Amino acid sequence: MSPLARCARAEWGLLFSTVRAALVARRWRAVPMTLAAVCLTAAFQYVQNQPWGYQFVQNIGSVRAEEPLWLALLRTPLSLFVPALDLPVWGALAQILLVFGIAEICLGWWRTLVIGYAATLAGTLYARVGIGLGTGNPFGLPASDAQVIDTGPSAAVVGLAVFVCWRYRAYFTAALVSAVMVLEVVVKNNLAGKEHLAAIVAVVVLCAISALRHRRRETRSGSDSESGSGSDSGPAVDPGSGAAPTDGPGSAKPPIKS
């Protein structure tokens, strides 16, 4: 095996095997939420390009910093699936199908939605804070950005990509995605790019919380195992059952779950 192949296997091997096993076993049934998200995004794209549908989509899924916060929070869940009008919709659909699909297999549908929503919400809230800071601050935004529509599904896609890569130890890929988002802001300093960075910051916080919970769970499990081994000489077995002794609770380490 070549050095490049070894690096690729070390980076993506666990992630690839997890996704492949799910798709082989269940095919498209492995990603029902993702398929629904793709269909919803395509439907929004069609409706907002109709003379009768543009304002309707704006009213239920468009978020701007100039609007009241309560209205933005109400619209944010659907804003995940409203594609940008100035970008090709096939790009948004491909991103959702790939990233949401992988995340749904690796994390489950509800964690995927929660993390995607948290990433999008971070961008939405940052826009308000950045406009308040003004252009004199390195993290500030011009007042004109208050009228710019939020990123749509892209912040959720970026956040989910970073979280899944961290969870499955594809650290180089997570760093690469983050670096590309930083480069985007350097080359094209706009609201969408800075909202992507806010989404990454929010996901990094979620990663830290998940790691802390996992560490505490391992510590608690280790303490229980030590107390059990100190009080008993071995696993309890019914003498008449004929069953072999089973290993203790620390014999098999399950995948990280948050």
Side-chain angles (χ1 to χ4, degrees), residues 160-180:
L160 284 169
V162 171
F163 190 91
V164 171
C165 287
W166 169 81
R167 173 60 63 85
Y168 280 78
R169 299 178 176 85
Y171 300 126
F172 176 78
T173 305
L176 182 62
V177 171
S178 302
V180 169

Side-chain angles (χ1 to χ4, degrees), residues 55-64 67-82 117 120:
Q55 194 57 50
F56 169 73
V57 174
Q58 295 296 299
N59 290 340
I60 66 172
S62 174
V63 178
R64 296 180 177 86
E67 297 167 340
L69 180 59
W70 68 266
L71 184 60
L73 294 177
L74 195 63
R75 292 176 175 176
T76 298
L78 281 180
S79 73
L80 270 71
F81 310 108
V82 177
Y117 178 75
T120 301

Side-chain angles (χ1 to χ4, degrees), residues 13-91:
L14 179 60
L15 182 61
F16 176 79
S17 61
T18 302
V19 173
R20 182 178 181 276
L23 291 177
V24 168
R26 303 184 61 194
R27 298 186 181 276
W28 293 110
R29 291 176 298 167
V31 288
M33 184 275 294
T34 298
L35 296 179
V38 170
C39 292
L40 184 60
T41 303
F44 275 139
Q45 173 67 9
Y46 173 79
V47 172
Q48 72 178 354
N49 279 283
Q50 305 305 311
W52 49 267
Y54 173 77
Q55 194 57 50
F56 169 73
V57 174
Q58 295 296 299
N59 290 340
I60 66 172
S62 174
V63 178
R64 296 180 177 86
E66 66 178 359
E67 297 167 340
L69 180 59
W70 68 266
L71 184 60
L73 294 177
L74 195 63
R75 292 176 175 176
T76 298
L78 281 180
S79 73
L80 270 71
F81 310 108
V82 177
L85 285 168
D86 58 339
L87 296 175
V89 68
W90 61 263

Side-chain angles (χ1 to χ4, degrees), residues 70-255:
W70 68 266
L71 184 60
L73 294 177
L74 195 63
R75 292 176 175 176
T76 298
L78 281 180
S79 73
L80 270 71
F81 310 108
V82 177
L85 285 168
D86 58 339
L87 296 175
V89 68
W90 61 263
L93 296 177
Q95 288 177 3
I96 293 172
L97 182 63
L98 178 64
V99 178
F100 273 60
I102 292 175
E104 183 175 5
I105 290 172
C106 296
L107 307 175
W109 68 268
W110 71 269
R111 283 192 182 93
T112 298
L113 287 178
V114 168
I115 294 169
Y117 178 75
T120 301
L121 185 60
T124 297
L125 296 178
Y126 161 74
R128 295 170 181 272
V129 174
I131 291 169
L133 293 174
T135 54
N137 190 290
F139 300 101
L141 296 169
S144 58
D145 280 349
Q147 300 175 354
V148 177
I149 299 175
D150 273 359
T151 58
S154 60
V157 166
V158 170
L160 284 169
V162 171
F163 190 91
V164 171
C165 287
W166 169 81
R167 173 60 63 85
Y168 280 78
R169 299 178 176 85
Y171 300 126
F172 176 78
T173 305
L176 182 62
V177 171
S178 302
V180 169
M181 295 301 103
V182 172
L183 183 62
E184 177 191 15
V185 172
V186 172
V187 174
K188 189 177 181 181
N189 188 15
N190 58 8
L191 176 61
K194 291 186 175 181
E195 286 187 340
H196 293 161
L197 294 183
I200 291 175
V201 171
V203 166
V204 169
V205 173
L206 292 178
C207 291
I209 294 173
S210 179
L212 181 61
R213 290 179 59 192
H214 179 65
R215 188 175 297 112
R216 286 181 176 177
R217 190 181 298 118
E218 283 189 329
T219 302
R220 190 181 303 115
S221 176
S223 300
D224 294 343
S225 177
E226 289 177 3
S227 62
S229 61
S231 59
D232 299 323
S233 59
V237 180
D238 181 3
S241 64
T246 57
D247 292 334
S251 60
K253 186 177 179 180

